[in-house]
Amino acid sequence: MFCFFFFFSFLLLLPLPSPPLASHPNKQDADHIGGHIKSSRHVPSESLDYAAAELARQLKGAEKVVFHCALSQQRGPSAALKYLRERERLGDQHEEGKVKKQEVLVLEGGFVAWQAKYGNDERLTENYNKELWEAGY
């Protein structure tokens, strides 16, 4: 299964062996400090207006694309909506001319919730810095 995570500041997750996620835009690059979802891609939210078309092309074969920001309350959902609109604008077509189904999701609770549950799991989270999160978000 292909799943991508986007972190916004924006992260995009690349295929993982198990169910993956995507991340979203940035609360400045500071959101990426302290850890990130393994195989994700960081895409700054301020770049999404011009990066959305390329992301839609790169991810057209993904079954799931997951967006997030720190809390997934504003930047993550906004990025997911921009991405969906770009897919629609590009026609969202598969090679055979059929519409390729893709599930676009927003990570509930954002990275704050993710790190609380999976921060110490090196299979899922990279560069995790527990001390930074202990002080609270």
Side-chain angles (χ1 to χ4, degrees):
M1 168 178 13
F2 290 98
C3 188
F4 294 85
F5 281 91
F6 287 88
F7 173 75
F8 287 86
S9 146
F10 168 80
L11 282 187
L12 164 64
L13 296 186
L14 302 177
L16 294 176
S18 52
L21 297 175
S23 311
H24 178 297
N26 126 7
K27 180 183 182 190
Q28 301 70 309
D29 290 328
D31 280 347
H32 210 221
I33 296 171
H36 57 273
I37 299 170
K38 195 167 192 165
S39 299
S40 67
R41 186 186 315 174
H42 177 252
V43 179
S45 52
E46 60 272 5
S47 72
L48 190 57
D49 285 340
Y50 59 85
E54 183 59 26
L55 287 174
R57 285 187 204 88
Q58 290 175 355
L59 300 175
K60 70 180 179 182
E63 293 176 18
K64 295 181 183 181
V65 179
V66 183
F67 290 81
H68 78 83
C69 56
L71 298 171
S72 289
Q73 293 179 350
Q74 187 173 4
R75 291 171 292 133
S78 175
L81 181 59
K82 285 181 183 180
Y83 175 80
L84 282 168
R85 287 181 176 157
E86 189 61 27
R87 279 182 48 95
E88 183 177 295
R89 186 188 73 78
L90 293 174
D92 201 6
Q93 298 293 309
H94 193 312
E95 287 75 34
E96 296 86 40
K98 297 179 181 177
V99 174
K100 172 72 174 164
K101 296 228 182 221
Q102 183 179 79
E103 197 172 0
V104 177
L105 306 163
V106 175
L107 181 63
E108 184 175 346
F111 189 76
V112 171
W114 175 277
Q115 66 81 28
K117 190 168 186 177
Y118 304 110
N120 289 315
D121 189 337
E122 293 180 0
R123 297 169 302 159
L124 302 174
T125 308
E126 292 182 316
N127 301 320
Y128 183 64
N129 184 331
K130 185 176 181 177
E131 291 75 29
L132 286 176
W133 293 98
E134 285 177 342
Y137 175 73

